Amino acid sequence: MIGADFDIFDRALAGERCWMRAADGTRHRLPTRRWLGLAGVGDRRADRALTSCCDGPTVDLGCGPGRLVAALLQRGVLALGVDISPTAVAITRFRGAPALRRDLFGPLPGAGRWSYALLADGNIGIGGDPGRILTRTADLLAPDGLAIVEFGLPGSGSVTRQIRLESRSRVGSWFPWASVGIDHAEQLARATGFQLLSTAEVGGRHIAWLRRRASQAVIAS
């Protein structure tokens, strides 16, 4: 994201109606209530499913305003949020949760030592390359670490497209984003050094638990 995109994202987090538009013209409102932890029962159940097994150091990649990091800290779990948005990082810190404003593909603390990594809210689509983001996630995890990944609806395929953010007064630039249906999780896991352990639908959202294969692991020096 660049200037206008950050501005639109900030407006969304402040409560303004903002949208994501695809190059084919389809438009969907950004789910900011869910990102802020203000959504309904189904989303709260899905969030619990995403974090319930985390009992050791956890990194939330693309943490947004930090609801999952804050929930983990409330349980006494060491957790860190990472996001490129300065407003998202500020909100996460306001919740009392640690967060860094970093590019996920740049240097991050604890590489090769995290027990768990979260890719929630469609963040497997970051950069438009699901293989790249999962390979990066594997690099951050300890041997046999667990990635907990939210996928799209079954049958939705694996698609990369150009999208942009829009508000009533601003239009952002186009950037690539991917979506991956849950039925592609096993194939993608195998290709990126993971073993698919299980999947579940919770509150209409689709979650996969991926174990980093120890044979693929390289401990960071």
Side-chain angles (χ1 to χ4, degrees):
M1 291 192 293
I2 58 177
D5 306 288
F6 283 126
D7 179 69
I8 295 166
F9 191 70
D10 293 352
R11 288 167 181 261
L13 293 179
E16 185 174 330
R17 291 171 64 91
C18 298
W19 297 267
M20 178 185 73
R21 184 184 294 276
D24 64 4
T26 57
R27 188 177 77 163
H28 302 282
R29 187 175 178 185
L30 295 179
T32 46
R33 286 185 58 81
R34 185 178 81 195
W35 295 343
L36 291 164
L38 303 174
V41 173
D43 281 313
R44 291 197 296 272
R45 287 177 52 230
D47 283 356
R48 286 194 295 271
L50 283 161
T51 59
S52 62
C53 71
C54 299
D55 56 7
T58 303
V59 60
D60 185 355
L61 301 174
C63 67
R67 73 186 190 281
L68 299 179
V69 183
L72 287 166
L73 288 175
Q74 288 172 4
R75 285 175 31 213
V77 176
L78 175 67
L80 174 69
V82 181
D83 205 286
I84 199 170
S85 161
T87 298
V89 168
I91 294 173
T92 302
R93 292 173 177 171
F94 181 77
R95 294 177 186 266
L100 295 176
R101 186 189 176 197
R102 298 277 180 88
D103 181 341
L104 301 184
F105 298 104
L108 291 176
R113 298 192 297 274
W114 293 98
S115 299
Y116 302 91
L118 300 175
L119 282 170
D121 302 321
N123 285 343
I124 193 171
I126 290 173
D129 188 340
R132 185 184 182 211
I133 190 70
L134 271 187
T135 299
R136 173 57 172 156
T137 302
D139 290 342
L140 294 171
L141 285 167
D144 292 323
L146 197 67
I148 304 150
V149 183
E150 187 172 346
F151 283 83
L153 295 170
S156 60
S158 180
V159 180
T160 298
R161 54 185 177 167
Q162 295 291 315
I163 66 170
R164 71 185 183 194
L165 303 183
E166 300 178 353
S167 70
R168 295 188 185 279
S169 59
R170 300 294 299 273
V171 174
S173 57
W174 295 103
F175 59 92
W177 196 269
S179 59
V180 184
I182 190 68
D183 44 337
H184 289 260
E186 184 171 12
Q187 177 183 359
L188 186 58
R190 286 199 309 266
T192 53
F194 286 97
Q195 174 191 2
L196 176 65
L197 297 182
S198 62
T199 65
E201 178 184 354
V202 184
R205 291 160 63 188
H206 296 269
I207 303 167
W209 288 262
L210 312 178
R211 176 75 69 193
R212 183 184 184 188
R213 292 199 299 264
S215 61
Q216 300 279 338
V218 178
I219 300 176
S221 59

Coordinates of all heavy atoms in Angstrom, one line a residue, residues 4-21 27-33 35 164-172:
A4 N -2.4 6.9 -0.5 CA -3.8 7.0 -0.5 C -4.4 5.7 0.1 O -5.4 5.7 0.8 CB -4.3 7.1 -1.9
D5 N -3.7 4.6 -0.1 CA -4.2 3.3 0.5 C -4.2 3.3 2.0 O -5.1 2.9 2.7 CB -3.3 2.1 0.0 CG -3.3 2.1 -1.6 OD1 -4.3 1.8 -2.2 OD2 -2.2 2.4 -2.1
F6 N -3.1 3.8 2.6 CA -3.0 3.9 4.0 C -4.1 4.9 4.5 O -4.7 4.6 5.6 CB -1.6 4.5 4.5 CG -0.6 3.4 4.5 CD1 0.6 3.7 3.8 CD2 -0.7 2.2 5.1 CE1 1.6 2.7 3.7 CE2 0.3 1.3 5.1 CZ 1.5 1.5 4.4
D7 N -4.3 6.0 3.8 CA -5.4 6.9 4.2 C -6.8 6.2 4.2 O -7.5 6.4 5.2 CB -5.4 8.1 3.3 CG -6.5 9.1 3.6 OD1 -6.4 9.8 4.7 OD2 -7.5 9.2 2.9
I8 N -7.0 5.4 3.2 CA -8.3 4.8 3.1 C -8.4 3.7 4.2 O -9.5 3.6 4.9 CB -8.5 4.1 1.7 CG1 -8.6 5.2 0.7 CG2 -9.8 3.3 1.7 CD1 -8.5 4.7 -0.7
F9 N -7.4 3.0 4.4 CA -7.4 1.9 5.5 C -7.6 2.6 6.9 O -8.4 2.1 7.7 CB -6.1 1.2 5.5 CG -6.0 0.0 6.3 CD1 -6.8 -1.2 6.0 CD2 -5.2 -0.1 7.5 CE1 -6.8 -2.3 6.8 CE2 -5.2 -1.2 8.3 CZ -6.0 -2.3 7.9
D10 N -6.9 3.7 7.1 CA -7.1 4.5 8.3 C -8.6 4.9 8.5 O -9.2 4.8 9.6 CB -6.2 5.7 8.4 CG -4.8 5.4 8.4 OD1 -4.4 4.2 8.6 OD2 -3.9 6.3 8.3
R11 N -9.2 5.4 7.4 CA -10.6 5.8 7.5 C -11.5 4.6 7.8 O -12.4 4.8 8.6 CB -11.0 6.4 6.1 CG -10.4 7.8 5.8 CD -10.6 8.1 4.3 NE -10.0 9.4 4.0 CZ -10.7 10.5 3.9 NH1 -12.0 10.5 4.1 NH2 -10.1 11.7 3.6
A12 N -11.2 3.5 7.2 CA -12.0 2.3 7.5 C -11.9 1.9 9.0 O -12.9 1.6 9.7 CB -11.5 1.1 6.7
L13 N -10.7 1.9 9.6 CA -10.5 1.6 11.0 C -11.2 2.6 11.9 O -11.5 2.3 13.0 CB -9.0 1.5 11.3 CG -8.3 0.3 10.7 CD1 -6.8 0.3 11.0 CD2 -8.9 -1.0 11.0
A14 N -11.3 3.8 11.4 CA -12.0 4.9 12.2 C -13.5 4.8 12.0 O -14.3 5.6 12.7 CB -11.5 6.3 11.7
G15 N -14.0 3.9 11.2 CA -15.5 3.6 11.1 C -16.1 4.1 9.8 O -17.3 3.9 9.6
E16 N -15.3 4.7 8.9 CA -15.9 5.2 7.7 C -16.1 4.0 6.8 O -15.4 3.0 6.8 CB -14.9 6.1 7.0 CG -15.5 6.7 5.7 CD -14.6 7.8 5.1 OE1 -13.9 8.5 5.9 OE2 -14.6 8.0 3.9
R17 N -17.2 4.0 6.0 CA -17.5 2.9 5.0 C -16.5 3.0 3.9 O -16.4 4.0 3.2 CB -18.9 3.1 4.4 CG -20.0 2.8 5.5 CD -21.4 3.2 4.9 NE -21.7 2.4 3.7 CZ -22.4 1.2 3.8 NH1 -22.8 0.8 5.0 NH2 -22.7 0.6 2.7
C18 N -15.7 1.9 3.8 CA -14.7 1.8 2.7 C -14.8 0.4 2.1 O -15.4 -0.5 2.6 CB -13.3 2.0 3.3 SG -13.0 3.6 4.0
W19 N -14.3 0.3 0.8 CA -14.5 -0.9 0.0 C -13.2 -1.4 -0.6 O -12.3 -0.6 -0.8 CB -15.5 -0.6 -1.1 CG -16.9 -0.2 -0.6 CD1 -18.0 -1.1 -0.4 CD2 -17.4 1.1 -0.3 NE1 -19.0 -0.3 0.1 CE2 -18.7 1.0 0.1 CE3 -16.8 2.4 -0.3 CZ2 -19.5 2.1 0.5 CZ3 -17.5 3.4 0.1 CH2 -18.9 3.3 0.5
M20 N -13.3 -2.6 -1.0 CA -12.2 -3.2 -1.8 C -12.9 -3.5 -3.2 O -13.9 -4.2 -3.2 CB -11.7 -4.5 -1.2 CG -10.7 -5.2 -2.1 SD -10.2 -6.8 -1.4 CE -11.7 -7.8 -1.8
R21 N -12.3 -2.9 -4.2 CA -12.8 -3.2 -5.6 C -11.8 -4.0 -6.4 O -10.6 -3.7 -6.4 CB -13.1 -1.8 -6.3 CG -13.7 -2.0 -7.7 CD -13.9 -0.7 -8.4 NE -14.8 0.2 -7.7 CZ -16.1 0.2 -7.9 NH1 -16.7 -0.7 -8.7 NH2 -16.9 1.1 -7.3
R27 N -17.3 -5.1 -6.0 CA -16.9 -4.3 -4.8 C -17.4 -4.9 -3.5 O -18.6 -5.4 -3.5 CB -17.4 -2.9 -5.0 CG -16.8 -1.9 -3.9 CD -17.3 -0.5 -4.2 NE -18.7 -0.3 -3.8 CZ -19.2 0.9 -3.6 NH1 -18.5 2.0 -3.8 NH2 -20.5 1.0 -3.2
H28 N -16.6 -5.0 -2.5 CA -17.0 -5.5 -1.2 C -16.6 -4.6 -0.1 O -15.5 -4.0 -0.1 CB -16.4 -6.9 -1.0 CG -16.8 -7.9 -2.0 ND1 -18.0 -8.5 -2.1 CD2 -16.0 -8.4 -3.1 CE1 -18.0 -9.4 -3.1 NE2 -16.8 -9.3 -3.7
R29 N -17.5 -4.4 0.9 CA -17.1 -3.5 2.0 C -16.0 -4.1 2.8 O -16.1 -5.4 3.1 CB -18.4 -3.2 2.8 CG -18.1 -2.1 3.9 CD -19.3 -1.7 4.7 NE -18.9 -0.8 5.7 CZ -19.8 -0.3 6.6 NH1 -21.1 -0.7 6.6 NH2 -19.4 0.5 7.5
L30 N -15.1 -3.4 3.3 CA -14.0 -3.9 4.2 C -14.7 -4.3 5.5 O -15.4 -3.5 6.1 CB -13.0 -2.8 4.4 CG -12.1 -2.4 3.2 CD1 -11.1 -1.3 3.6 CD2 -11.4 -3.6 2.6
P31 N -14.3 -5.5 6.0 CA -14.9 -6.0 7.2 C -14.3 -5.4 8.5 O -13.7 -6.2 9.3 CB -14.7 -7.5 7.1 CG -13.4 -7.6 6.3 CD -13.4 -6.5 5.4
T32 N -14.3 -4.1 8.6 CA -13.5 -3.5 9.7 C -14.1 -3.9 11.1 O -13.4 -3.9 12.1 CB -13.5 -2.0 9.5 OG1 -14.8 -1.5 9.2 CG2 -12.6 -1.6 8.4
R33 N -15.4 -4.1 11.2 CA -16.0 -4.5 12.5 C -15.3 -5.8 13.0 O -15.0 -6.0 14.1 CB -17.5 -4.6 12.5 CG -18.2 -3.2 12.4 CD -19.7 -3.4 12.5 NE -20.1 -4.1 13.7 CZ -20.3 -3.5 14.9 NH1 -20.0 -2.2 15.0 NH2 -20.6 -4.1 15.9
W35 N -12.4 -7.0 12.0 CA -11.0 -6.7 12.3 C -10.8 -6.1 13.7 O -9.8 -6.4 14.4 CB -10.4 -5.8 11.2 CG -10.3 -6.3 9.8 CD1 -10.4 -7.6 9.5 CD2 -10.1 -5.6 8.6 NE1 -10.3 -7.8 8.1 CE2 -10.1 -6.5 7.6 CE3 -9.9 -4.2 8.3 CZ2 -9.9 -6.1 6.2 CZ3 -9.8 -3.9 7.0 CH2 -9.8 -4.8 6.0
R164 N -8.1 -2.6 -5.4 CA -7.8 -1.3 -4.8 C -8.8 -1.0 -3.7 O -9.9 -1.6 -3.6 CB -7.8 -0.2 -5.9 CG -9.2 0.2 -6.4 CD -9.1 1.2 -7.5 NE -10.4 1.6 -8.0 CZ -10.6 2.3 -9.1 NH1 -9.6 2.6 -9.9 NH2 -11.9 2.6 -9.4
L165 N -8.4 -0.1 -2.8 CA -9.2 0.4 -1.7 C -9.9 1.7 -2.1 O -9.3 2.5 -2.8 CB -8.4 0.6 -0.5 CG -7.6 -0.6 0.1 CD1 -6.9 -0.3 1.4 CD2 -8.5 -1.9 0.2
E166 N -11.1 1.8 -1.7 CA -11.9 3.0 -2.0 C -12.7 3.5 -0.8 O -13.2 2.7 0.0 CB -12.9 2.7 -3.2 CG -12.3 2.3 -4.5 CD -13.3 2.0 -5.5 OE1 -14.5 2.0 -5.2 OE2 -13.0 1.7 -6.7
S167 N -12.8 4.8 -0.6 CA -13.7 5.4 0.3 C -14.6 6.3 -0.6 O -14.5 6.3 -1.8 CB -13.0 6.2 1.4 OG -12.4 7.4 0.8
R168 N -15.5 7.0 0.1 CA -16.4 7.9 -0.7 C -15.6 9.1 -1.3 O -16.1 9.6 -2.3 CB -17.5 8.5 0.3 CG -18.4 7.4 0.8 CD -19.6 8.0 1.5 NE -20.5 7.0 2.1 CZ -21.4 6.3 1.5 NH1 -21.6 6.6 0.2 NH2 -22.1 5.5 2.1
S169 N -14.5 9.4 -0.8 CA -13.7 10.5 -1.3 C -12.3 10.2 -1.8 O -11.7 11.1 -2.4 CB -13.6 11.6 -0.2 OG -12.9 11.0 0.9
R170 N -11.9 9.0 -1.6 CA -10.5 8.6 -2.1 C -10.5 7.3 -2.8 O -11.3 6.4 -2.5 CB -9.6 8.5 -0.8 CG -9.4 9.7 0.0 CD -8.7 10.9 -0.7 NE -7.4 10.5 -1.2 CZ -6.3 10.7 -0.4 NH1 -6.4 11.2 0.8 NH2 -5.1 10.4 -0.9
V171 N -9.6 7.2 -3.7 CA -9.4 5.9 -4.5 C -7.9 5.6 -4.5 O -7.1 6.4 -4.8 CB -9.9 6.1 -6.0 CG1 -9.5 4.8 -6.8 CG2 -11.4 6.3 -6.0
G172 N -7.6 4.4 -4.0 CA -6.2 3.9 -3.9 C -5.7 3.4 -5.2 O -6.4 3.4 -6.3

